[in-house]
């Protein structure tokens, strides 16, 4: 039962119909469908014995919810992982089978304080991803004694015919190879150069073009010490030869907001695109957000590009093409000297863009409603500050809105895009060179946008029009 009275239910972000959701899992594109699996506990609105929930989409905007793909078994709960299309049938499940790799987490052993508790298992589908079975020979990759040994991401080996797998193990990322997705050889360990990160989780490794070069991006999620507190996702650019990852950049934040975690990319997306999906929450307070019958939403799927700027690599992000192609209703357009403001809008699901013309001075964009609740982004040179301390309900956790959040860009900020959808604001700075994702829980939708500061600028607000999911 969908609770239509729930005012925090987004229009174009994926949410489970009911109960708890965290990480995106098994992101694979096959036969025209984007599959989205997710960490799911179908009995409560807090984390519990993990299942893989399942949904599919043709456009990454509208989703069809499908039955649970994997439920806990004697090997354990089904933690995060990935999926690939095994075109040649190398794993023995038939050509074109979809194969999922996940962590089996022995929750009972953990309760008794016994280590190791995490191994890797496989699941497969022979009908294009509609129904799934677990491989009878699980687990296929056993833990050699690490307390944390999880979240396998499978990718094609860039030099051979087989596969690679990366997973997070304590302070390192382990890299494996295989011919058949069942027997895995350990190739190397990569130690990200970071301190106080808590635990690494949900690694990803994928190629991406920049100019005429191909580089490899490793994504890593860390449980603690994100720039604005709690859990966050990072990236590092380098090379990968099928055995070892060599870093060619520092670790960067893929999103500076408080609510973007466990982000990973699609396997096999059309045109070689890198399409990223993250979970919009933070382990600091994920179990306390005030959404009612469901808890957890995915961020808007984003296409990634790699730029080289001043000798540094920079991942840029934009909403995936299905979102950009939605028809829109224009809500407001204003331009001229600041301040600019417009009231009386329905910003429950809106795409708001502001560009500052020369001269560039400090400026701020504020969303507000008739209850005096407001969400503010203030930019001064290359630094942005986001204030959600009065954005709506914030008192469910002291970590939700303790103070202003900060973002440091590497150039003066002059353009913002705010994508608002019931309980979230995703901010793209300067065409997506930096991003900040935040949950908000206003007691009624924001209805005004005001821009203060120096100089002149142009503001547009539109409402994307979302239709029902396209048929499978
Ligand atoms: C990340 C994570 C993963 C784990 C899953 C459990 O948010 O902790 O490391 O597989 O969630 O639900």
């Amino acid at each position: 039962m969908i609770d239509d009275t729930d005012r925090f239910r987004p229009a174009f972000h994926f949410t489970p119909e009911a109960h708890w959701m965290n990480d995106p899992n098994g992101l694979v594109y096959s036969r025209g469908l984007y599959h989205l699996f997710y960490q799911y506990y179908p009995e409560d609105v807090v984390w519990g014995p993990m299942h893989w929930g399942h949904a599919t989409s043709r456009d990454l905007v509208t989703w069809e919810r499908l039955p649970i793909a994997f439920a806990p078994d004697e090997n354990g709960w089904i933690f995060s992982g990935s999926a690939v299309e095994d075109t040649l049938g190398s794993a023995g499940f038939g050509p074109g089978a979809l194969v999922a790799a996940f962590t089996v987490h022995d929750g009972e052993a953990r309760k008794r304080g016994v280590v190791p508790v995490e191994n890797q298992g496989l699941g497969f589908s022979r009908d294009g991803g509609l129904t799934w079975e677990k491989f009878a020979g699980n687990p296929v990759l056993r833990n050699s004694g690490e307390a944390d040994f999880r979240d396998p991401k499978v990718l094609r080996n860039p030099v051979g015919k087989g596969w690679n797998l990366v997973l997070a193990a304590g302070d390192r990322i382990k890299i494996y190879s295989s011919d058949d997705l069942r027997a895995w050889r350990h190739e190397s360990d990569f130690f990200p150069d970071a301190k106080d990160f808590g635990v690494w989780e949900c690694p990803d490794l994928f190629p991406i073009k920049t100019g005429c070069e191909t580089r490899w991006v490793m994504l890593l999620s860390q449980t603690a010490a994100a720039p604005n507190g709690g859990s966050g996702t990072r990236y590092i650019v380098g090379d990968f030869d099928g055995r070892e990852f060599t870093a060619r950049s520092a670790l960067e934040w893929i999103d500076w907001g408080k609510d973007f975690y466990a982000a990973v990319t699609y396997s096999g997306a059309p045109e070689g695109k890198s399409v990223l999906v993250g979970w919009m929450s933070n382990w600091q307070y994920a179990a306390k957000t005030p959404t009612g019958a469901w808890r957890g939403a995915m961020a808007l799927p984003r296409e990634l590009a790699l730029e080289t700027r001043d000798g540094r690599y920079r991942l840029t992000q934009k909403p995936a093409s299905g979102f950009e192609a939605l028809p829109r209703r224009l809500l407001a357009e204003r331009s001229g000297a600041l301040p600019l403001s417009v009231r009386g809008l329905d910003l429950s699901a809106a795409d708001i863009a502001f560009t500052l013309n020369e001269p560039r001075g400090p400026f701020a964009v504020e969303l507000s409603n008739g209850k005096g609740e407001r969400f503010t982004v203030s930019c001064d040179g290359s630094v942005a500050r986001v204030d959600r301390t009065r954005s709506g309900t914030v008192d469910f956790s002291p970590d939700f809105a303790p103070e202003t959040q900060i973002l440091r860009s590497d150039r003066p900020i002059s353009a913002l895009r705010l994508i608002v959808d019931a309980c979230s604001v995703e901010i793209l700075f300067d065409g997506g060179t930096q991003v900040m994702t935040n949950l908000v829980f206003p007691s009624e939708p924001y209805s005004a946008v005001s821009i203060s500061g120096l100089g002149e600028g142009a503001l547009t607000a539109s409402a994307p029009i979302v239709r029902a999911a396209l048929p499978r």
Side-chain angles (χ1 to χ4, degrees):
M1 27 75 245
I2 295 182
D3 180 7
D4 281 324
T5 59
D6 185 341
R7 64 184 186 278
F8 298 128
R9 176 80 74 179
F12 46 80
H13 286 79
F14 181 77
T15 49
E17 186 172 14
H19 301 126
W20 168 272
M21 175 178 85
N22 57 289
D23 312 359
N25 294 152
L27 301 183
V28 61
Y29 177 82
S30 169
R31 305 185 205 178
L33 287 181
Y34 290 91
H35 291 266
L36 166 67
F37 302 85
Y38 49 90
Q39 289 287 278
Y40 187 47
Y41 183 42
E43 284 170 40
D44 205 342
V45 284
V46 292
W47 191 87
M50 283 287 115
H51 298 57
W52 274 29
H54 187 196
T56 57
S57 175
R58 291 199 171 273
D59 58 5
L60 291 168
V61 177
T62 48
W63 294 92
E64 184 180 351
R65 298 188 183 98
L66 296 177
I68 287 172
F70 300 116
D73 62 18
E74 64 285 355
N75 286 311
W77 305 347
I78 314 298
F79 268 24
S80 288
S82 55
V84 290
E85 182 173 310
D86 184 13
T87 324
L88 300 175
S90 61
F93 306 127
L98 296 185
V99 181
F102 44 72
T103 299
V104 280
H105 173 100
D106 184 347
E108 299 308 317
R110 169 155 290 195
K111 279 188 210 151
R112 298 193 306 272
V114 179
V115 178
V117 297
E118 293 179 336
N119 296 304
Q120 318 312 315
L122 299 180
F124 59 93
S125 169
R126 294 192 167 111
D127 61 4
L130 299 181
T131 59
W132 290 81
E133 277 174 59
K134 289 193 200 115
F135 174 47
N138 283 343
V140 294
L141 175 52
R142 282 185 186 275
N143 191 336
S144 52
E146 324 256 359
D148 299 289
F149 184 74
R150 60 176 175 267
D151 307 341
K153 170 76 183 201
V154 175
L155 54 142
R156 285 188 186 281
N157 184 311
V159 290
K161 277 194 301 222
W163 305 92
N164 286 114
L165 180 154
V166 291
L167 59 75
D171 58 352
R172 70 202 68 184
I173 304 305
K174 284 185 170 285
I175 301 178
Y176 297 82
S177 64
S178 172
D179 298 326
D180 61 4
L181 293 164
R182 295 184 184 191
W184 292 96
R185 286 180 298 278
H186 178 226
E187 297 286 359
S188 63
D189 288 344
F190 177 71
F191 291 84
D193 185 13
K195 282 196 225 117
D196 306 327
F197 49 86
V199 174
W200 296 118
E201 298 185 317
C202 302
D204 192 358
L205 184 60
F206 58 91
I208 192 164
K209 287 209 166 62
T210 175
C212 43
E213 295 174 341
T214 296
R215 291 277 168 257
W216 285 76
V217 174
M218 185 179 276
L219 299 178
L220 296 162
S221 285
Q222 65 184 66
T223 51
N228 290 297
S231 49
T233 303
R234 302 180 95 166
Y235 70 94
I236 185 163
V237 181
D239 291 325
F240 180 57
D241 62 4
R243 308 187 76 165
E244 254 178 81
F245 177 77
T246 313
R248 295 173 68 118
S249 81
L251 271 172
E252 307 280 357
W253 294 102
I254 202 158
D255 190 304
W256 291 70
K258 286 214 66 157
D259 300 300
F260 193 75
Y261 195 61
V264 285
T265 60
Y266 267 91
S267 172
E271 300 158 44
K273 284 181 181 171
S274 305
V275 180
L276 180 77
V277 181
W279 170 48
M280 281 203 295
S281 200
N282 190 313
W283 279 117
Q284 284 180 325
Y285 47 72
K288 298 180 185 157
T289 54
T291 51
W294 56 277
R295 193 177 265 138
M298 293 304 172
L300 213 53
R302 302 170 185 172
E303 285 175 20
L304 301 176
L306 185 65
E307 280 183 6
T308 315
R309 202 190 310 151
D310 309 326
R312 288 171 69 185
Y313 293 111
R314 176 74 62 230
L315 269 188
T316 65
Q317 303 173 54
K318 61 177 183 188
S321 53
F323 179 77
E324 300 295 50
L326 287 177
R328 276 143 197 279
R329 194 160 45 85
L330 185 66
L331 299 174
E333 243 176 341
R334 296 281 187 282
S335 62
L338 302 188
L340 292 175
S341 75
V342 42
R343 303 183 176 279
L345 307 175
D346 175 3
L347 300 176
S348 53
D351 192 348
I352 301 160
F354 173 72
T355 306
L356 183 73
N357 303 329
E358 299 284 353
R360 291 177 184 169
F363 68 98
V365 177
E366 185 170 276
L367 308 179
S368 57
N369 63 17
K371 296 266 168 42
E373 295 165 347
R374 50 190 186 270
F375 176 90
T376 313
V377 195
S378 316
C379 302
D380 188 355
S382 57
V383 176
R385 291 191 168 74
V386 165
D387 185 346
R388 67 172 175 184
T389 56
R390 279 161 291 185
S391 57
T393 302
V394 299
D395 60 1
F396 53 88
S397 162
D399 294 315
F400 184 70
E403 54 192 27
T404 311
Q405 298 176 39
I406 197 152
L407 173 147
R408 292 178 204 285
S409 187
D410 44 18
R411 58 161 87 149
I413 296 164
S414 63
L416 297 186
R417 182 170 173 194
L418 282 73
I419 301 175
V420 185
D421 193 7
C423 66
S424 63
V425 185
E426 287 163 284
I427 312 166
L428 306 178
F429 294 84
D430 291 321
T433 57
Q434 302 287 354
V435 183
M436 223 169 175
T437 299
N438 278 291
L439 293 172
V440 285
F441 301 101
S443 50
E444 61 182 40
Y446 298 126
S447 53
V449 190
S450 39
I451 324 264
S452 55
L454 300 171
E456 298 191 347
L459 164 72
T460 339
S462 62
I465 300 168
V466 183
R467 302 208 174 86
L470 299 169
R472 246 189 282 136

